[in-house]
């Protein structure tokens, strides 16, 4: 049982054809399929692992295109349902010259938000060794209830729960609600991954010191990760903790780096769950995940940048 089941949104990002412009200045946009949970599923499959995606798409040309992308990448799309009344979500995204990411979402509501608990493909969820999710699916009903139900099914079937909140401030009615709802399912996870920005958002403290990270630690966690971009990441378990540096690469576009990181780490954990209790094995798995994140940061877009295993091993050997 090595299946990673990823739950949540899959959508199309429209990104400018030229770099460093605002959305208003962009002369044209290209389609870039994404959505963090879908990226994670593809990251796992690209490494040769078993992966399934559970979520809802519009029964439209874009929704069918996205389901095809999952299948073409070796992801089990048996957990995908289609909504005939709502569109596949779209987001216009740009990395401005000042380094800030600017988002404009078209979700009013989009199909992913309309997934109901009744529509969940329970058989897919029950096969999970790891059930992975974010927080965007917690924002609106009925998807929020479907999300909570899916977590319960997975946990009862013996899966490890993996949570990467993937904060998107603009999607929430208020920052306070974002914080409260993101933390409302915090204690249920076995594995949690946050970025530096999310650590600050959730704790209110701008620091990645251990005592700050530990504010997010729960005694029931098996692993907590704080990713630090080109600095690699910090990790915490009940018995040991540490920092694992990343690999030196030429950064082009970090989109999807976090998804590559957690997807590849989950792949390693389902292959050998004893890594969660063994410092040497865990650090080995995190090194591999850092390399996956690093490679993803060297190329434009998320899905096209997710590496295969040989590419990861080459970077690790070279270093
Ligand atoms: P995202 O941009 O997908 O939201 P994130 O903020 O969740 O990403 P990051 O910390 O940017 O996560 O990246 C995840 C991991 O990828 C890092 O912990 C690191 O191992 C690797 N990584 C990202 N960027 C670089 C880089 N420029 N050089 C080396 N490694 C990197």
């Amino acid at each position: 049982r090595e299946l990673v089941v990823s739950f949540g949104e899959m959508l199309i990002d429209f990104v400018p054809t030229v770099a460093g412009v605002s959305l208003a200045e962009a002369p044209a946009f290209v389609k870039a399929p994404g959505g963090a949970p879908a990226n994670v599923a593809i990251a796992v499959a690209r490494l040769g692992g078993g992966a399934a995606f559970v979520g809802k798409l519009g029964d439209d040309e874009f929704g069918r295109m996205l389901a095809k992308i999952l299948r073409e990448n070796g992801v089990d799309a048996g957990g995908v349902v289609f909504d005939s009344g709502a569109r596949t979500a779209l987001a216009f995204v740009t990395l401005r010259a000042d380094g800030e990411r600017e988002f404009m979402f078209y979700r009013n509501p989009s199909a992913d938000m309309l997934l109901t608990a009744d529509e969940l493909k329970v058989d897919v969820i029950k096969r999970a060794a790891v059930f992975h999710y974010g927080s965007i699916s917690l924002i609106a009903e009925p998807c929020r209830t479907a999300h909570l139900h899916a977590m319960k099914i997975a946990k009862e079937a013996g899966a490890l729960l993996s949570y990467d909140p993937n904060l998107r401030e603009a999607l929430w009615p208020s920052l306070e609600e974002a914080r409260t709802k993101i933390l409302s399912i915090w204690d249920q996870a076995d594995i949690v991954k946050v970025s530096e920005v999310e650590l600050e958002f959730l704790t209110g403290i701008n620091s990645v010191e251990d005592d700050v990270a530990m504010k997010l630690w729960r005694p029931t966690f098996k692993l907590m990760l704080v990713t630090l971009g080109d600095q690699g990441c910090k990790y915490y378990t009940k018995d040991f903790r540490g920092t694992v540096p990343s690999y030196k690469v030429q950064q082009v576009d970090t989109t999807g780096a976090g998804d590559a990181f957690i997807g590849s780490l989950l792949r390693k954990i389902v292959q050998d769950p004893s890594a969660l209790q063994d410092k040497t094995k865990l650090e080995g798995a995190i090194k591999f995940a850092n390399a996956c994140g690093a490679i993803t940061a060297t190329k434009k877009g998320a899905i096209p940048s997710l590496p295969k295993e040989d590419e990861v091993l080459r970077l690790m050997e070279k270093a």
Side-chain angles (χ1 to χ4, degrees):
R1 177 162 150 167
E2 293 189 358
L3 187 70
V4 175
V5 176
S6 197
F7 173 91
E9 69 286 358
M10 184 173 196
L11 59 130
I12 302 179
D13 283 339
F14 283 83
V15 295
T17 49
V18 296
V21 293
S22 69
L23 289 177
E25 288 160 353
F29 295 89
V30 291
K31 298 198 293 270
N39 293 343
V40 170
I42 294 174
V44 171
R46 184 108 1 123
L47 294 168
F53 176 75
V54 173
K56 197 173 204 186
L57 299 168
D59 188 11
D60 50 36
E61 203 134 336
F62 286 157
R64 286 188 293 271
M65 178 191 99
L66 293 178
K68 185 158 167 260
I69 287 169
L70 288 172
R71 288 193 300 269
E72 283 171 351
N73 281 284
V75 174
D76 178 343
V80 173
V81 292
F82 293 93
D83 195 298
S84 53
R87 293 288 191 211
T88 301
L90 308 181
F92 288 80
V93 172
T94 186
L95 189 61
R96 295 191 320 224
D98 63 7
E100 285 298 307
R101 233 172 254 283
E102 194 184 340
F103 290 96
M104 206 155 87
F105 294 97
Y106 283 73
R107 290 162 40 97
N108 45 350
S110 48
D112 55 295
M113 299 162 74
L114 299 174
L115 180 70
T116 66
D118 291 347
E119 290 171 327
L120 288 170
K121 294 286 196 283
V122 174
D123 52 324
V124 178
I125 298 169
K126 283 187 173 169
R127 283 194 283 123
V130 170
F131 184 72
H132 176 81
Y133 46 86
S135 70
I136 289 170
S137 41
L138 290 176
I139 298 174
E141 292 291 359
C143 183
R144 176 181 166 78
T145 295
H147 178 146
L148 299 176
H149 192 58
M151 281 172 61
K152 187 163 178 286
I153 294 168
K155 186 129 219 169
E156 282 172 6
L160 288 176
L161 301 191
S162 161
Y163 186 20
D164 174 357
N166 243 298
L167 175 67
R168 289 284 176 269
E169 294 181 358
L171 289 180
W172 292 90
S174 73
L175 295 184
E176 194 41 50
E177 185 162 342
R179 206 172 284 114
T180 309
K181 287 228 173 103
I182 286 172
L183 291 174
S184 69
I185 58 166
W186 202 254
D187 298 7
Q188 277 136 280
D190 297 292
I191 299 168
V192 159
K193 167 208 167 272
V194 290
S195 65
E196 284 178 86
V197 172
E198 288 155 352
L199 179 61
E200 181 181 356
F201 179 78
L202 295 171
T203 62
I205 305 169
N206 178 14
S207 157
V208 292
E209 292 301 317
D210 287 346
D211 58 327
V212 176
M214 285 310 283
K215 290 183 188 299
L216 296 181
W217 175 262
R218 300 292 182 269
T220 47
F221 282 2
K222 297 201 165 53
L223 175 63
M224 182 170 82
L225 303 138
V226 179
T227 58
L228 308 169
D230 63 0
Q231 299 298 301
C233 78
K234 291 186 159 202
Y235 73 90
Y236 303 82
T237 73
K238 182 165 60 65
D239 300 317
F240 50 88
R241 61 172 71 162
T243 303
V244 184
S246 190
Y247 294 84
K248 207 165 173 45
V249 293
Q250 195 70 44
Q251 180 177 313
V252 173
D253 171 12
T254 64
T255 307
D259 305 329
F261 172 87
I262 189 67
S264 55
L265 187 58
L266 295 178
R267 168 66 189 143
K268 287 288 175 198
I269 289 170
V270 296
Q271 277 185 297
D272 183 2
S274 73
L276 290 168
Q277 283 108 37
D278 180 319
K279 190 168 200 279
T280 309
K281 280 187 187 177
L282 184 61
E283 291 199 351
I286 293 174
K287 270 189 197 147
F288 183 86
N290 281 342
C292 288
I295 291 169
T296 306
T298 63
K299 297 174 206 167
K300 267 185 81 175
I303 293 173
S305 317
L306 298 169
K308 289 192 172 162
E309 184 151 35
D310 56 350
E311 203 180 339
V312 186
L313 297 179
R314 272 204 303 278
L315 175 64
M316 294 176 78
E317 275 161 21
K318 207 175 69 184

